[in-house]
């Protein structure tokens, strides 16, 4: 039997293994493009697909996930922008609480609305502390949630928020500069957070190159999420997974 997604993430963290997740926004992907991305992702052994978007307008979530299931054995993890983005065709769901903000709807309100439906699914639910970090351009998630991102130079706020998330029992932390961010999360912020917390760290938003990926891995990020740059050029998957493999080869320890 396949390990749960979270057990896999923890095993990887214990072994010092870094991972790459390809973000699929069902609104952005035409199915033909998605097939091309899946082919490269399979060949390059991408670790996860994250599926979701801050504002999905067309209802193509199930269609996308069915295609992923049909063509790939890579786990599909829902990264929902709202409580309608729930699908049985995924393996797991990041149950996101927007802890960088102070909007009760995104801290607990939407969760109460989604919980009865989630309870009836077989999805693996992973409670995740989600932080929006300023990525130097407008951020759809911040706009929709009516919250303010953490400024990118306020490392101490990100550290304190991360510590609170771990103490509250969140199982993952996600520091997100936002889809299409001009500036990815500062490696210095990741490094200060990862020095103090034990739960795995996901980061994404604005990652476009292997060199950025290396700095974020070195700083302590466990999973990098890349969406826009791969939508524009799916062959970037080769570079990013190559960087992760090299890093893992040089740094991996026994569990
Ligand atoms: C956004 O972290 C993800 O929530 C990915 O961002 O599309 O900029 O890679 P990009």
């Amino acid at each position: 039997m396949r390990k749960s997604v979270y057990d896999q993430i923890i095993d990887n963290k214990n072994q010092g293994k870094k991972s790459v997740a390809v973000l699929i926004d069902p609104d952005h992907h035409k199915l033909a493009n998605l097939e091309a991305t899946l082919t490269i992702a399979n060949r390059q052994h991408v670790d996860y697909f994250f599926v979701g978007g801050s504002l999905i307008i067309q209802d193509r979530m199930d269609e996308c996930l069915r295609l992923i299931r049909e063509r790939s054995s890579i786990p599909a993890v829902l990264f929902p922008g709202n409580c309608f983005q729930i699908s049985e065709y995924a393996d797991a769901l990041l149950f996101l609480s927007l802890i960088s903000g102070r909007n009760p709807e995104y801290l607990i309100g939407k969760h109460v609305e989604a919980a009865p439906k989630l309870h009836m699914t077989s999805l693996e639910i992973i409670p995740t502390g989600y932080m929006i970090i300023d990525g130097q351009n407008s951020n759809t998630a911040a706009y929709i949630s009516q919250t303010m991102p953490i400024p990118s130079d306020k490392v101490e706020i990100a550290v304190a928020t991360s510590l609170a998330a771990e103490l509250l029992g969140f199982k993952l932390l996600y520091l997100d500069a936002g889809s299409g961010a001009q500036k990815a999360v500062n490696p210095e912020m990741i490094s200060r957070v990862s020095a103090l917390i034990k739960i795995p760290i996901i980061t994404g938003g604005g990652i476009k190159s292997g060199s950025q990926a290396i700095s974020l891995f070195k700083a302590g990020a466990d999973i990098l999420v890349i969406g826009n740059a791969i939508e524009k050029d799916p062959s970037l998957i080769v570079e990013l997974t190559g960087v992760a493999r090299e890093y893992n080869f040089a740094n991996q320890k026994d569990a």
Side-chain angles (χ1 to χ4, degrees):
M1 216 177 75
R2 182 153 94 174
K3 273 192 186 155
S4 74
V5 170
Y6 191 67
D7 284 350
Q8 186 61 57
I9 293 173
I10 290 295
D11 282 1
N12 288 344
K13 181 156 181 81
N14 291 340
Q15 292 168 34
K17 179 178 181 287
K18 308 296 185 177
S19 304
V20 170
V22 172
L23 176 66
I24 311 274
D25 181 331
D27 260 5
H28 293 189
H29 273 271
K30 294 205 174 57
L31 287 187
N33 294 352
L34 179 56
E35 290 195 33
T37 303
L38 293 179
T39 305
I40 305 179
N42 286 337
R43 208 183 303 138
Q44 297 301 317
H45 304 288
V46 158
D47 300 280
Y48 310 99
F49 289 116
F50 280 14
V51 182
S54 328
L55 186 70
I56 293 186
I57 295 175
Q58 306 165 55
D59 187 13
R60 294 176 45 212
M61 188 93 160
D62 281 350
E63 195 182 359
C64 245
L65 282 159
R66 272 208 303 261
L67 189 69
I68 294 175
R69 267 222 166 146
E70 211 177 281
R71 302 287 163 88
S72 178
S73 55
I74 297 168
V77 179
L78 291 169
F79 171 44
N82 61 46
C83 44
F84 303 110
Q85 296 176 27
I86 298 173
S87 167
E88 283 274 16
Y89 296 107
D91 296 287
L93 174 137
L94 300 183
F95 202 30
L96 304 169
S97 196
L98 182 50
I99 55 174
S100 56
R102 298 295 180 268
N103 182 342
E105 278 302 302
Y106 292 85
L107 286 163
I108 180 67
K110 301 285 178 194
H111 311 69
V112 173
E113 289 171 31
K117 181 162 180 193
L118 290 175
H119 183 66
M120 284 170 15
T121 71
S122 55
L123 284 168
E124 178 190 344
I125 310 295
I126 310 177
T128 302
Y130 182 63
M131 295 154 71
I132 304 178
I133 313 295
D134 183 31
Q136 283 184 357
N137 53 351
S138 57
N139 181 308
T140 311
Y143 178 80
I144 299 271
S145 62
Q146 294 289 291
T147 64
M148 262 170 64
I150 296 178
S152 60
D153 58 342
K154 296 292 180 195
V155 172
E156 65 284 5
I157 297 180
V159 169
T161 309
S162 305
L163 285 169
E166 187 167 63
L167 291 170
L168 281 165
F170 287 103
K171 290 179 157 185
L172 290 177
L173 254 196
Y174 192 147
L175 283 78
D176 196 345
S179 177
Q182 293 217 13
K183 203 167 160 281
V185 176
N186 182 355
E188 151 83 4
M189 185 180 272
I190 299 286
S191 157
R192 295 266 304 279
V193 167
S194 83
L196 290 175
I197 65 156
K198 292 191 185 65
I199 54 175
I201 299 173
I202 304 175
T203 190
I207 301 172
K208 302 177 193 76
S209 69
S211 57
Q212 279 176 304
I214 286 275
S215 327
L216 290 163
F217 282 148
K218 280 191 182 153
D222 297 288
I223 303 176
L224 300 187
V225 186
I226 305 97
N228 274 273
I230 288 175
E231 277 171 28
K232 287 194 192 105
D233 175 14
S235 72
L236 184 64
I237 294 176
V238 180
E239 181 182 340
L240 294 166
T241 49
V243 158
R245 252 194 308 279
E246 268 173 44
Y247 182 95
N248 291 337
F249 185 72
N251 295 286
Q252 216 161 322
K253 43 188 192 255
D254 293 331

